[in-house]
């Protein structure tokens, strides 16, 4: 705020961080009454926007996955192809994502996937990565534009 900023956005693409973001936003609001602090706290809605391009291509949600899955791998490949180790990509857990997220929260990643992958990253592409970024940014822009007026 010392530099004149009066509007702040807190968001995360990691589902486990949402309670902490809400807590931080509440603390910052109490300490900074002359600023607006907005936090996006619905991981499932943000995840839908992030995965929309693959769903539009007819790919099943269980194949799309989440952690190190199709879309996350595609985004990294789109941003910097050298970061994706093509020879090491393997399918992880394929199945019901809601059930996988519940099990993940209760018992940790290894209870869902021994290799830490949820979905099939072998289907990654530059196109999926680019579309995921565009769809997510458009969604967040529309959301925060309404909140920050």
């Amino acid at each position: 705020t010392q530099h004149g900023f009066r509007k702040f956005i807190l968001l995360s693409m990691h589902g486990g961080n949402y309670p902490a973001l809400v807590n931080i936003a509440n603390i910052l609001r109490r300490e900074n009454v002359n600023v607006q602090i907005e936090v996006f706290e619905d991981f499932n809605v943000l995840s839908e926007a992030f995965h929309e391009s693959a769903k539009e291509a007819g790919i099943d949600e269980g194949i799309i996955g989440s952690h190190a899955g199709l879309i996350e791998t595609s985004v990294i490949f789109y941003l910097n192809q050298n970061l994706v180790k093509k020879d090491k990509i393997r399918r992880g857990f394929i199945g019901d994502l809601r059930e996988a997220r519940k099990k993940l929260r209760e018992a940790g990643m290894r209870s869902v996937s021994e290799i830490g992958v949820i979905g099939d990253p072998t289907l990654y592409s530059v196109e999926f990565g680019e579309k995921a970024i565009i769809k997510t940014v458009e969604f967040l822009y529309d959301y925060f534009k309404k909140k920050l007026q």
Side-chain angles (χ1 to χ4, degrees), residues 10 19-33 35 37 39:
L10 300 178
L21 285 180
V22 171
N23 190 33
I24 290 168
N26 289 333
I27 291 167
L28 292 172
R29 286 180 187 121
R30 282 192 303 270
E31 294 176 0
N32 300 281
V33 292
V35 299
I37 300 168
V39 60

Side-chain angles (χ1 to χ4, degrees), residues 86-101:
K86 300 171 191 167
D87 59 322
K88 299 195 185 257
I89 295 177
R90 295 186 317 181
R91 288 174 64 140
F93 168 83
I94 307 290
D96 185 326
L97 289 183
R98 283 174 215 75
E99 199 57 39
R101 284 183 185 132

Side-chain angles (χ1 to χ4, degrees), residues 12-16 18 40-52 55 61 66 97-99 101-102 105 139:
S12 173
M13 289 296 291
H14 190 278
Y18 285 86
F40 190 89
E41 55 186 294
D42 191 338
F43 175 74
N44 292 327
V45 171
L46 190 55
S47 182
E48 286 294 317
F50 195 57
H51 294 156
E52 190 175 331
K55 287 182 179 179
E61 187 177 71
S66 59
L97 289 183
R98 283 174 215 75
E99 199 57 39
R101 284 183 185 132
K102 181 180 177 201
R105 282 190 302 274
F139 171 80

Side-chain angles (χ1 to χ4, degrees), residues 70-84:
L70 168 62
I71 295 299
E72 287 188 0
T73 303
S74 294
V75 166
I76 296 302
F77 189 71
Y78 170 71
L79 294 172
N80 184 341
Q81 295 181 11
N82 295 323
L83 293 176
V84 175

Side-chain angles (χ1 to χ4, degrees), residues 86-148:
K86 300 171 191 167
D87 59 322
K88 299 195 185 257
I89 295 177
R90 295 186 317 181
R91 288 174 64 140
F93 168 83
I94 307 290
D96 185 326
L97 289 183
R98 283 174 215 75
E99 199 57 39
R101 284 183 185 132
K102 181 180 177 201
K103 194 172 181 184
L104 181 66
R105 282 190 302 274
E106 294 170 355
M109 177 58 77
R110 295 222 185 273
S111 70
V112 178
S113 171
E114 282 294 318
I115 62 171
V117 175
I118 299 175
D120 186 356
T122 66
L123 302 174
Y124 73 92
S125 74
V126 168
E127 294 78 19
F128 283 142
E130 180 180 27
K131 287 178 182 178
I133 290 172
I134 291 169
K135 297 263 186 194
T136 303
V137 168
E138 287 174 346
F139 171 80
L140 289 169
Y141 174 82
D142 290 343
Y143 177 84
F144 284 113
K145 185 177 178 184
K146 293 173 191 164
K147 290 275 190 184
L148 295 172

